[in-house]
């Protein structure tokens, strides 16, 4: 296990280095600059700003300085948020985005697994068809469309939830549900297909022959083995929730990190764009590592460190 984790950490550092390098040079290759949108900015002031932020240095010096700053966990000052650093924006915005993301993942797992199990236990019945129709709708409708639909019907028409903002638990439900709709549909389909395969195995038939009740067979024997594809999907799910929250936070007026990221793109805030990209890349790589470790813990037959051929 330790050897596997060490190898994965090495790959993570290599991947992170490539992401940082690609982000840096892509931002430098983009036409214009962070002060291009400023109206009637005198050349002297623009020159002083470029010197203050180090933008007048050669690209290789900027690159080395940026790598050094990231190694010290310093993403630098924001070009547009006056008096704030990118670290300040991450510290203030990420807890909000994390809360929204965790709530969305919980909803996706809870309702996705529930729909998948119900569909598998009632194969080719109306419960199965209903669950799969819901799953198809969840996959087909983008999260930002789902967000507007939920706002219109549940907030504006029925008045059950607030339309926007982030002040109480009631404000979190609609954005979390909109963010969870697509992954919930994928989890439901994965759970259904995996449960159907597990329920056809010989050990399930043996458990039925021993007289075990259907709930015991389902919970104790079937669901655990059927969860392996769902667990492997948690890594991409984390990525989808994090990137999907960018738009959702903007629609619902949530002061999360995704909202800062969208604003920084429109304002050409180089340091914020690169800092948030690097931060989310680190988070995603860690999530994938944790999912791989959990995959091996759930199924002891899987050897994370590998084995000799034929074992």
């Amino acid at each position: 296990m330790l050897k596997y984790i060490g190898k994965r950490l090495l790959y993570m550092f290599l991947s992170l280095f490539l992401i940082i390098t690609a982000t840096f040079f892509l931002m430098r290759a983009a036409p214009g600059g962070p002060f291009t949108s400023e109206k009637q900015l005198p050349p002297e002031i623009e020159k002083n700003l470029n010197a203050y932020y180090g933008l007048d240095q050669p690209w290789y010096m900027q690159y080395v300085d940026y790598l050094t700053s990231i190694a010290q966990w310093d993403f630098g000052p924001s070009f547009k948020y006056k008096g704030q650093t990118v670290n300040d924006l991450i510290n203030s915005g990420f807890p909000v985005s994390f809360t929204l993301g965790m709530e969305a993942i919980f909803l996706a797992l809870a309702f996705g697994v529930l729909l998948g199990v119900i569909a598998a236990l009632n194969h080719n019945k109306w419960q199965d068809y209903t669950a799969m129709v819901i799953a198809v709708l969840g996959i087909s409708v983008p999260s930002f469309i789902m967000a507007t639909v939920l706002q219109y019907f549940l907030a504006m028409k029925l008045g059950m939830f607030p339309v926007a903002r982030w002040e109480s638990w009631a404000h979190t439900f609609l954005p979390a549900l909109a963010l969870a709709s697509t992954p919930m549909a994928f989890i439901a389909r994965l759970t259904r297909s995996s449960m159907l395969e597990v329920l056809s195995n010989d050990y399930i038939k043996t458990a039925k022959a021993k007289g075990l009740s259907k709930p015991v067979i389902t919970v104790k024997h079937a669901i655990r083995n059927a969860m392996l594809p769902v667990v492997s999907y948690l890594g991409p799910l984390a990525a989808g929730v994090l990137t999907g929250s960018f738009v959702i936070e903007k629609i619902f007026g949530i002061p999360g990190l995704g909202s800062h990221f969208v604003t920084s793109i429109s304002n050409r805030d180089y340091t914020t764009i690169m800092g948030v990209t690097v931060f989310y890349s680190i988070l995603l790589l860690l999530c994938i590592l944790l999912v791989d470790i959990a995959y091996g813990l759930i199924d002891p037959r899987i050897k994370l460190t590998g084995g000799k051929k034929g074992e």
Side-chain angles (χ1 to χ4, degrees):
M1 176 70 74
L2 293 178
K3 182 179 179 181
Y4 172 79
I5 294 176
K7 184 184 295 185
R8 288 300 305 269
L9 289 175
L10 181 62
Y11 289 143
M12 284 174 56
F13 280 114
L14 178 60
S15 301
L16 186 60
F17 173 75
L18 295 176
I19 291 172
I20 294 172
T21 302
T23 305
F24 177 86
F25 285 105
L26 285 175
M27 292 305 304
R28 291 299 181 272
F35 311 114
T36 303
S37 60
E38 300 287 348
K39 295 182 179 180
Q40 298 179 350
L41 189 65
E44 304 82 31
I45 296 180
E46 184 174 356
K47 183 178 179 181
N48 291 335
L49 288 173
N50 287 329
Y52 176 78
Y53 289 107
L55 299 177
D56 59 340
Q57 298 179 356
W59 65 266
Y60 53 87
M61 292 184 63
Q62 296 184 42
Y63 178 62
V64 172
D65 291 342
Y66 188 63
L67 289 179
T68 304
S69 299
I70 291 180
Q72 299 172 353
W73 198 248
D74 180 11
F75 295 112
S78 170
F79 290 156
K80 296 298 179 180
Y81 293 92
K82 304 302 181 183
Q84 296 190 66
T85 65
V86 179
N87 293 68
D88 294 333
L89 297 177
I90 292 175
N91 293 335
S92 63
F94 178 68
V96 176
S97 298
F98 181 78
T99 302
L100 175 62
M102 291 303 296
E103 188 173 343
I105 291 176
F106 174 78
L107 290 174
L109 284 173
F111 289 101
V113 171
L114 179 63
L115 286 175
V117 171
I118 291 175
L121 295 178
N122 300 276
H123 186 47
N124 289 332
K125 297 180 180 179
W126 67 268
Q127 296 95 330
D128 185 14
Y129 300 141
T130 302
M132 288 304 99
V133 167
I134 295 175
V136 170
L137 288 176
I139 295 173
S140 304
V141 180
S143 60
F144 61 89
I145 299 294
M146 182 65 69
T148 56
V149 171
L150 293 175
Q151 282 179 323
Y152 180 75
F153 286 103
L154 297 184
M156 299 176 64
K157 288 294 184 180
L158 300 178
M160 298 173 60
F161 299 96
V163 177
R165 301 181 68 83
W166 186 267
E167 298 176 355
S168 64
W169 178 85
H171 291 82
T172 70
F173 184 75
L174 289 186
L177 184 59
L179 196 57
S181 59
T182 299
M184 179 183 67
F186 277 107
I187 290 174
R189 293 178 65 87
L190 283 173
T191 304
R192 175 184 179 273
S193 60
S194 184
M195 278 287 294
L196 289 175
E197 181 180 354
V198 169
L199 291 174
S200 64
N201 288 336
D202 291 337
Y203 67 89
I204 297 294
K205 298 176 182 178
T206 302
K208 292 179 180 179
K210 289 182 177 180
L212 296 179
S213 63
K214 189 173 183 180
V216 172
I217 295 174
T218 302
V219 174
K220 188 175 180 180
H221 299 284
I223 291 182
R224 178 177 178 178
N225 293 323
M227 286 299 99
L228 293 177
V230 176
V231 172
S232 64
Y233 175 63
L234 287 179
L237 171 61
V241 168
L242 291 175
T243 55
S245 65
F246 294 168
V247 180
I248 297 299
E249 289 178 12
K250 200 68 176 176
I251 292 175
F252 286 92
I254 298 174
L257 192 55
S259 178
H260 293 322
F261 185 75
V262 173
T263 304
S264 66
I265 293 176
S266 59
N267 289 333
R268 304 181 64 83
D269 192 345
Y270 287 172
T271 52
T272 303
I273 294 173
M274 292 189 293
V276 174
T277 301
V278 171
F279 178 76
Y280 272 131
S281 299
I282 295 173
L283 193 63
L284 174 59
L285 292 172
L286 288 175
C287 288
I288 294 176
L289 175 62
L290 293 176
V291 166
D292 289 344
I293 295 174
Y295 198 88
L297 295 176
I298 291 176
D299 190 352
R301 296 171 298 177
I302 299 174
K303 295 183 179 180
L304 296 178
T305 56
K308 296 180 180 180
K309 188 175 182 180
E311 292 183 350

